[in-house]
Amino acid sequence: METKQQGGRGTGAEAVVGTRERVVRAASRLLQQQGYEGTGIKLIAREAGATLGSVYHFFPGGKEELAVAAIQHGDQEFADMLRTGLDSADDPAVAVENCARHLATALRESGWAEGCPVTSTALETLGRAPRIQEACHEALRNWQSVLSARFTRSGFSVQQANELACTVLAALEGAEVTSQVFRSEEPLLTTGRHMARLVRSWS
Amino acid sequence: METKQQGGRGTGAEAVVGTRERVVRAASRLLQQQGYEGTGIKLIAREAGATLGSVYHFFPGGKEELAVAAIQHGDQEFADMLRTGLDSADDPAVAVENCARHLATALRESGWAEGCPVTSTALETLGRAPRIQEACHEALRNWQSVLSARFTRSGFSVQQANELACTVLAALEGAEVTSQVFRSEEPLLTTGRHMARLVRSWS
């Protein structure tokens, strides 16, 4: 959903949509960078250039409701990044390796700060905050579906494609954390090469 | 490092070691279950059955110092779990699959709460808390070494073994998060089967 954030001549409605979107984006980035517990709603408002009042206007349920919207935003962004990588080559093995390469580049360019938009929040809220857990669950399922659809398009059976999607996503997620901790693209690049090898092992 | 925690006749020195160890174990479990930011030092003391004063006696640096010790404790525990799985079969592919199976069982038995002892804390403290980051870095390196040593023992070259260790660890870590969010052993079991297939692809 594209929204206008600038361009002073916007109508009132556009300005309202713009603020909500800015708040969601700031929340998504902060959850990615420092997790749920360490991110206060005041900081989110400040980063978004919004008042605390307007944050509560859009999210009367407070931080938990905002986190759900932020996870859903990150879900879409990450799915788009996956699709870009997966559409970059006809060979599904090459496409998977390209995905890992895109993730590594994006991670380095963010100063190793912006990894998976759900991992940290998902782990911090396990067994609590059921709406946040549900949004994290949905995000992982969505990314698996994006990968699985790509594999079935290349001739894998639905079961093979689903299982491969599960493993490739898990490996990329884990490698992203390793790359963040090591401050190095290598774990993602190595894992990308091995996932390509795994995909090729059926051909 | 084994310590006596019970058995009333312990000397003063043993009792002191026992309290420190209880505090470290409680901290490790809580970091695993709910991350760094959401875990207060008072809660750690309560879970360990220790006074706040004794926690600060052992960890004058407070929560950050205690988190480092907790991560190091989790590092050893997870390494032991990996070794048990890796020593369970001669065939390295079977051994890797057994590792995933052990992790899945342990995760289910903990009510999906006790996953990787470093992921959440590592992500929450990225770019901050350098001593905690260093401990997380050490833990990942240690687990990679455990895996790599297993692969070289089965005839892989050092480079192949290191790269495979990187991917297998990343995949298991990512699958563990997925299993926690889905509350299902399937992601770990599927990833384990695929990692076995990857290991076999060189033989």
Side-chain angles (χ1 to χ4, degrees), chain B residues 23-51:
Chain B
V23 169
V24 169
R25 287 181 190 195
S28 175
R29 205 170 48 242
L30 286 165
L31 290 186
Q32 223 165 354
Q33 291 176 350
Q34 54 184 48
Y36 181 70
E37 291 292 344
T39 301
I41 205 154
K42 277 187 195 167
L43 177 62
I44 296 170
R46 196 165 63 228
E47 291 279 311
T51 64

Side-chain angles (χ1 to χ4, degrees), chain A residues 36 61-69 129-132:
Chain A
Y36 181 71
K63 197 169 109 172
E64 184 167 342
E65 186 181 351
L66 176 48
V68 169
R131 290 172 59 212
I132 296 178

Side-chain angles (χ1 to χ4, degrees), chain B residues 53-200:
Chain B
S54 68
V55 175
Y56 279 108
H57 167 72
F58 290 114
F59 302 98
K63 194 168 111 172
E64 185 168 341
E65 187 181 350
L66 175 49
V68 169
I71 295 284
Q72 288 165 343
H73 172 81
D75 175 356
Q76 295 309 318
E77 264 196 347
F78 198 77
D80 287 343
M81 193 170 352
L82 280 179
R83 273 191 210 98
T84 303
L86 293 173
D87 289 343
S88 67
D90 285 339
D91 179 337
V94 176
V96 161
E97 195 172 345
N98 286 347
C99 261
R101 213 176 282 136
H102 290 185
L103 289 174
T105 304
L107 193 56
R108 176 174 45 76
E109 287 175 353
S110 79
W112 313 107
E114 294 177 20
C116 172
V118 318
T119 306
S120 183
T121 301
L123 292 179
E124 285 175 278
T125 60
L126 273 176
R128 299 174 290 155
R131 290 172 58 213
I132 295 178
Q133 284 291 304
E134 183 57 31
C136 293
H137 193 291
E138 276 301 306
L140 292 179
R141 275 251 175 273
N142 184 31
W143 303 336
Q144 286 185 346
S145 300
V146 169
L147 283 157
S148 180
R150 178 65 182 81
F151 294 133
T152 50
R153 222 160 64 222
S154 291
F156 284 85
S157 75
V158 171
Q159 189 189 336
Q160 272 185 328
N162 286 343
E163 290 181 357
L164 201 46
C166 171
T167 297
V168 169
L169 183 64
L172 292 178
E173 294 272 350
E176 188 143 75
V177 175
T178 314
S179 278
Q180 288 184 276
V181 173
F182 288 10
R183 301 176 73 82
S184 159
E185 293 179 72
E186 269 317 310
L188 268 166
L189 299 180
T190 299
T191 300
R193 280 196 304 275
H194 283 154
M195 289 305 105
R197 187 179 176 96
L198 182 66
V199 171
R200 271 190 206 108

Side-chain angles (χ1 to χ4, degrees), chain A residues 20-85:
Chain A
R20 185 187 187 282
E21 188 73 12
R22 277 206 321 280
V23 169
V24 170
R25 289 181 189 194
S28 175
R29 205 169 49 243
L30 286 165
L31 291 187
Q32 222 164 356
Q33 290 175 353
Q34 54 184 48
Y36 181 71
E37 291 291 346
T39 301
I41 205 155
K42 279 187 193 167
L43 176 63
I44 296 170
R46 196 164 63 229
E47 291 280 311
T51 63
L52 204 55
S54 68
V55 174
Y56 279 107
H57 167 72
F58 290 114
F59 302 98
K63 197 169 109 172
E64 184 167 342
E65 186 181 351
L66 176 48
V68 169
I71 295 284
Q72 288 166 343
H73 173 81
D75 174 356
Q76 295 308 317
E77 265 197 346
F78 198 78
D80 288 345
M81 194 171 349
L82 280 179
R83 273 191 210 97
T84 304

